[in-house]
Amino acid sequence: MSISPTQIQLIQPDDWHLHIRDGDVMRNVLADVAKQFARAIIMPNLKPPVTTAELAKAYRLRIESQLQSLGVNGFTPMMTLYLTDNTSAVEVRKAKAEGVVAFKLYPAGATTNSDAGVSDLKHCFAVIEAMQKEGMPLLVHGEVTNPEVDIFDREKVFIDRVLEPLRKDFPELKIVFEHITTMQAAHYVRDASACNKNTLAATITPQHLLMNRNAIFVGGIHPHNYCLPVLKREEHRIALLAAATSGNPRFFLGTDSAPHAKGLKENACGCAGCYSTFNALGLYAEAFESVGKLNRLEGFASFFGPDFYALPRNSKIVTLHKQAQAIPCELPFGESTIVPLRFGETIAWSLA
Ligand code: DOR
Ligand code: ZN
């Protein structure tokens, strides 16, 4: 990695948590993704969700055909399967044979298109056992859904009620605690015992490194800053930034960029999700620079993800320039438009 006041050169990053959707809109998202990332973990919460190896294969073929028609070479989608109460252990072996890299746990009702998610992990013990045996990672949306738990506490409660028991029952299972948003999650992952072979890691989004919950409410409601898990207090943002920039390989890049058409965000019941893909690397660079830790960006963005998944690191080098980039107020999104994170603002770092 090389860093000067005007440019950063680093090995090309991957996005270890991304929503690209399907159909027409997927084309616009893929064009933004492939400019920055070599690979991305593709979330399976389509309608209907990607629950079988066969559906994952069909989705991958649709993605590849869009990439081809965009003239994109050198971007690899990494497919995941959506865990349900009924997923069988056999599906794990089928998924592995199909090149699927992970399963995703959505607690039922936790977020966008999670209705078919898991109502109780007890229903999934056989399939999780198979995942542990096959070395297939489980990616978790770490929030409880009990209505009596405050929305700002859902992640913290998930650690005690779900994650810790899960890790006790399946000590060899590889788990990624996705898009962590709290000090408790950052500390839990940092302090997790290494005796079970470093099986736990976490991804962190750019919005949770750059914003606290004021960004949703101050001066009026800001629907484009609303995502799940929701932004938290400043003390949590500071803890996440410390974790991301610590050089600890358990923390790596996952944007959770989750596009929704403008009209579905600016709505009486706006959807959850921030579209950060447009200049995700610039956003991460800004976060790392804010604490004088640009030297830690490459590990977080380009090394620790592939190391955790036991995949080769990328070799191509990309360059970020300190060149102000205006973030547009709207971008094309199929027949509609989408409003990117930090729309109308200027970002200091952008890709060459
Ligand atoms: O804000 C979010 N949007 N969080 C999620 O977990 C899902 C995502 C989506 O798919 O829109
Ligand atoms: Zn997500």
Side-chain angles (χ1 to χ4, degrees), residues 154-232:
R154 287 180 177 189
E155 183 175 281
K156 178 172 88 182
V157 174
F158 181 88
I159 297 171
D160 300 331
R161 289 196 196 162
V162 185
L163 187 54
E164 179 63 14
L166 177 68
R167 293 185 62 247
K168 288 225 165 80
D169 288 338
F170 300 97
E172 309 261 301
L173 178 68
K174 283 178 104 163
I175 298 175
V176 184
F177 195 172
E178 298 284 354
H179 44 55
I180 58 168
T181 64
T182 57
M183 177 192 294
Q184 287 83 1
H187 293 175
Y188 181 78
V189 173
R190 180 194 66 190
D191 299 337
S193 156
C195 66
N196 49 4
K197 300 195 206 146
N198 280 329
T199 47
L200 183 65
T203 54
I204 310 183
T205 77
Q207 64 266 26
H208 292 99
L209 294 176
L210 290 167
M211 299 191 291
N212 63 38
R213 65 192 195 175
N214 287 355
I216 315 170
F217 305 112
V218 171
I221 290 271
H222 298 268
H224 300 289
N225 294 340
Y226 170 60
C227 64
L228 287 171
V230 69
L231 295 171
K232 305 294 191 300

Side-chain angles (χ1 to χ4, degrees), residues 17-19 43 45 104 106 141 179 228 256-258:
H17 184 128
L18 176 67
H19 301 265
M43 285 295 129
N45 61 334
K104 175 70 189 262
Y106 287 106
H141 181 109
H179 44 55
L228 287 171
D256 194 23
S257 181

Side-chain angles (χ1 to χ4, degrees), residues 80-325:
T80 58
L81 287 196
Y82 186 114
L83 192 64
T84 73
D85 286 345
N86 304 314
T87 309
S88 74
V90 174
E91 207 59 48
V92 176
R93 284 179 286 282
K94 285 192 188 158
K96 204 168 174 191
E98 190 41 54
V100 166
V101 298
F103 277 63
K104 175 70 189 262
L105 164 64
Y106 287 106
T111 187
T112 311
N113 299 342
S114 62
D115 299 349
V118 173
S119 67
D120 189 328
L121 262 188
K122 283 205 283 288
H123 299 135
C124 300
F125 273 21
V127 61
I128 293 176
E129 181 91 61
M131 290 169 59
Q132 175 172 255
K133 188 159 161 240
E134 299 288 337
M136 174 70 79
L138 179 65
L139 317 183
V140 302
H141 181 109
E143 290 190 288
V144 295
T145 54
N146 317 48
E148 74 277 7
V149 179
D150 190 278
I151 191 163
F152 290 100
D153 297 331
R154 287 180 177 189
E155 183 175 281
K156 178 172 88 182
V157 174
F158 181 88
I159 297 171
D160 300 331
R161 289 196 196 162
V162 185
L163 187 54
E164 179 63 14
L166 177 68
R167 293 185 62 247
K168 288 225 165 80
D169 288 338
F170 300 97
E172 309 261 301
L173 178 68
K174 283 178 104 163
I175 298 175
V176 184
F177 195 172
E178 298 284 354
H179 44 55
I180 58 168
T181 64
T182 57
M183 177 192 294
Q184 287 83 1
H187 293 175
Y188 181 78
V189 173
R190 180 194 66 190
D191 299 337
S193 156
C195 66
N196 49 4
K197 300 195 206 146
N198 280 329
T199 47
L200 183 65
T203 54
I204 310 183
T205 77
Q207 64 266 26
H208 292 99
L209 294 176
L210 290 167
M211 299 191 291
N212 63 38
R213 65 192 195 175
N214 287 355
I216 315 170
F217 305 112
V218 171
I221 290 271
H222 298 268
H224 300 289
N225 294 340
Y226 170 60
C227 64
L228 287 171
V230 69
L231 295 171
K232 305 294 191 300
R233 286 176 183 276
E234 179 64 2
E235 64 196 18
H236 297 289
R237 188 188 74 83
I238 288 170
L240 296 169
L241 195 51
T245 61
S246 65
N248 183 332
R250 290 180 180 182
F251 299 101
F252 49 83
L253 186 158
T255 62
D256 194 23
S257 181
H260 293 277
K262 181 176 171 165
L264 294 176
K265 293 285 293 174
E266 299 175 5
N267 191 291
C269 184
C271 294
C274 298
Y275 185 61
S276 60
T277 299
F278 181 72
N279 184 2
L281 287 183
L283 294 169
Y284 280 112
E286 180 179 318
F288 278 64
E289 188 176 42
S290 72
V291 286
K293 295 274 175 63
L294 275 175
N295 60 324
R296 296 268 165 82
L297 180 62
E298 189 180 45
F300 175 82
S302 312
F303 295 160
F304 305 152
D307 294 354
F308 180 83
Y309 281 86
L311 290 167
R313 293 178 178 183
N314 296 318
S315 52
K316 190 174 144 191
I317 288 172
V318 296
T319 305
L320 280 164
H321 287 286
K322 197 151 206 182
Q323 196 167 51
Q325 182 186 34

Side-chain angles (χ1 to χ4, degrees), residues 12 15 18-43 59-79 257 259 275 277-278 331-334 338:
Q12 187 173 23
D15 187 345
L18 176 67
H19 301 265
I20 61 170
R21 314 304 187 201
D22 208 347
D24 284 356
V25 301
M26 175 165 82
R27 188 181 171 78
N28 300 111
V29 178
L30 281 173
D32 282 349
V33 176
K35 278 182 207 148
Q36 298 169 77
F37 298 105
R39 297 170 285 197
I41 293 252
I42 308 297
M43 285 295 129
Y59 189 22
R60 179 173 55 73
L61 292 174
R62 293 197 296 282
I63 297 168
E64 283 170 359
S65 124
Q66 291 279 13
L67 288 168
Q68 197 172 22
S69 85
L70 283 164
V72 168
N73 286 311
F75 173 79
T76 307
M78 297 177 285
M79 308 312 291
S257 181
Y275 185 61
T277 299
F278 181 72
L331 296 165
F333 189 62
I338 187 161

